[in-house]
């Protein structure tokens, strides 16, 4: 049965695209642009209850937005990617974390006037499977859930499946050499795996850790062990805010960057802050599950290396890591890989995209560069000076 997000990807994409392109859309966008010039408009965060949202939630919970002189409302939690995208398009929220491929679709597939201003985190996702499945190849003839067609999860999963000689199907019963992909909200994945409705899923944390701790499944591969230090979720903001409220926008990015730096040094406290045990109740997850993600033990990491979930221990992937600078090489490689990724719905816009153009047009790195310069630059995050890197993808 189609999920909310699968309906969105097949049908509502066209409706949302029409919202921006139909004749009645311009007055709506112009009105929002006028509101964007209000210096007192508060920060309104939209997020999913996943660790991808960590910097935005930490910036709220630790008062980093207020320290920048910004008014901020309590972050609004959404169940699925369709809801958060629609709320962002409607102006109900003005700062969101979105899966990196969604930002490509939003700007070029639906002509959304918004840009990436920073990375929210790196790595932070995994392919989890039922306990009787011991390798990616064992997924042949089975169904695997993904959170969204335009997701780094879909991109990395399809890379892994192809490397193991498996074909992708998006409907019908898969043959022995095929894997069926099914869209599913992250919160539905763990119970679906427990019920045997799917053989596995690839998604952001802490849903992989939840399956482990509850004995429902095991991690087959970490996405950060396939694409080294890849971005997953990005900070996405309306272009009219960036143009008409540059000081406000700079303060938003400053707070988010400082929150990432704080999180790196306070992982255990972050797990508690994000958990259901905290007064803010940002997520429904227990401190134990979140700690498995944010503070993995050496024994855990050694076990993953032994099982093959980690095949590149020299990469020293931290399960989830934090650094805000959006390297252009990542955006270019993402566009190239999206061109070879199966997605449902209209995807013709991908064929015409030039990766180098997207890296400069989709991303506005001026705010994050200024924020980084105020705290010691990239070395503050353990990175060398310079705004370039080389992408490493090894399935």
């Amino acid at each position: 049965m189609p999920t909310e997000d699968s309906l969105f990807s097949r049908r509502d994409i066209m409706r949302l695209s029409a919202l921006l392109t139909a004749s009645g859309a311009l007055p709506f966008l112009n009105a929002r642009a006028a509101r964007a010039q209000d210096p007192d408009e508060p920060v309104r965060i939209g997020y999913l209850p996943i660790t991808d949202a960590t910097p935005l939630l930490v910036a709220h919970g630790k008062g980093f937005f207020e320290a920048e002189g910004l008014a901020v409302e309590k972050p609004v939690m959404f169940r699925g990617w369709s809801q958060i995208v629609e709320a962002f398009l409607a102006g109900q929220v003005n700062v969101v974390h979105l899966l990196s491929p969604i930002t490509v679709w939003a700007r070029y597939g639906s002509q959304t006037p918004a840009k990436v201003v920073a990375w929210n985190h790196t790595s932070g996702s995994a392919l989890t499977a039922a306990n009787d499945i011991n390798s990616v190849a064992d997924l042949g003839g089975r169904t695997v859930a993904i959170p969204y067609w335009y997701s780094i999860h879909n991109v990395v999963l399809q890379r892994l499946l192809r490397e193991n000689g498996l074909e992708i199907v998006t409907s019908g019963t898969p043959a022995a050499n095929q894997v069926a992909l099914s869209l599913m909200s992250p919160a539905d994945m763990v119970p679906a795996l427990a019920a045997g409705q799917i053989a596995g899923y690839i998604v952001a944390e802490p849903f992989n850790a939840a399956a482990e701790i509850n004995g429902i499944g095991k991690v087959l591969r970490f996405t950060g062990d396939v694409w080294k230090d890849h971005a997953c979720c990005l900070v996405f903001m309306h272009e009219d805010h960036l143009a008409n409220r540059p000081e406000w926008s700079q303060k938003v990015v400053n707070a988010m960057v400082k929150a990432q730096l704080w999180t790196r040094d306070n992982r255990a406290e972050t797990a508690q802050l994000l958990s259901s045990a905290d007064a803010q109740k940002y997520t429904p997850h227990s401190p134990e599950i979140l700690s498995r993600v944010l503070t993995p033990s050496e024994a855990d990491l050694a076990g993953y290396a032994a099982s093959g979930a980690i095949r590149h221990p020299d990469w020293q992937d931290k399960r989830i890591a934090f650094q805000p600078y959006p390297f252009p090489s990542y955006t270019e490689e993402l566009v190239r890989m999206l061109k070879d990724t199966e997605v449902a719905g209209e995807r013709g816009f991908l064929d015409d995209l030039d990766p180098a153009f997207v890296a400069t047009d989709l991303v506005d790195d001026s705010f994050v560069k200024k924020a980084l310069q105020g705290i010691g630059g990239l070395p503050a995050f353990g990175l060398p000076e310079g705004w370039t890197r080389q992408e490493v993808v090894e399935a």
Side-chain angles (χ1 to χ4, degrees), residues 254-266:
N254 289 348
M256 188 276 302
V257 169
K258 291 174 181 176
Q260 289 203 40
L261 194 60
W262 183 90
T263 299
R264 285 168 57 89
D265 296 330
N266 299 275

Side-chain angles (χ1 to χ4, degrees), residues 205-287:
E205 298 288 7
F207 295 102
N208 305 289
E212 292 178 300
I213 288 177
N214 290 299
I216 293 168
K218 59 188 176 186
V219 173
L220 286 184
R221 290 295 300 276
F222 290 101
T223 59
D225 189 61
V226 177
W227 190 342
K228 184 179 180 182
D229 296 329
H230 71 78
C232 181
C233 270
L234 315 176
V235 183
F236 207 48
M237 294 174 63
H238 294 293
E239 203 166 2
D240 51 25
H241 284 184
L242 303 179
N244 299 318
R245 306 173 70 197
E247 292 185 6
W248 182 89
S249 300
Q250 184 64 63
K251 291 175 180 179
V252 170
V253 176
N254 289 348
M256 188 276 302
V257 169
K258 291 174 181 176
Q260 289 203 40
L261 194 60
W262 183 90
T263 299
R264 285 168 57 89
D265 296 330
N266 299 275
R267 284 175 167 262
E269 187 176 343
T270 299
Q272 183 69 26
L273 174 65
L274 298 184
S275 76
S276 58
D278 187 80
Q280 292 281 4
K281 298 190 180 302
Y282 289 121
T283 79
H285 310 298
S286 69

Side-chain angles (χ1 to χ4, degrees), residues 308-388:
I310 292 177
R311 297 188 180 182
H312 304 101
D314 55 306
W315 290 4
Q316 297 184 321
D317 183 62
K318 297 184 181 298
R319 191 155 186 167
I320 186 169
F322 302 93
Q323 83 78 18
Y325 184 67
F327 287 101
S329 57
Y330 168 81
T331 305
E332 292 187 29
E333 184 62 26
L334 174 65
V335 173
R336 283 191 285 266
M337 292 179 70
L338 275 173
K339 290 174 180 286
D340 295 326
T341 300
E342 294 286 338
V343 297
E346 172 57 43
R347 53 160 295 147
F349 72 94
L350 287 172
D351 298 333
D352 298 326
L353 288 181
D354 173 63
F357 167 77
V358 174
T360 58
D361 179 71
L362 174 65
V363 180
D364 182 346
D365 66 1
S366 61
F367 297 98
V368 71
K369 278 185 174 180
K370 186 173 181 178
L372 281 166
Q373 289 165 358
I375 60 170
L378 288 173
F381 287 89
L383 298 172
E385 291 282 10
W387 308 109
T388 61

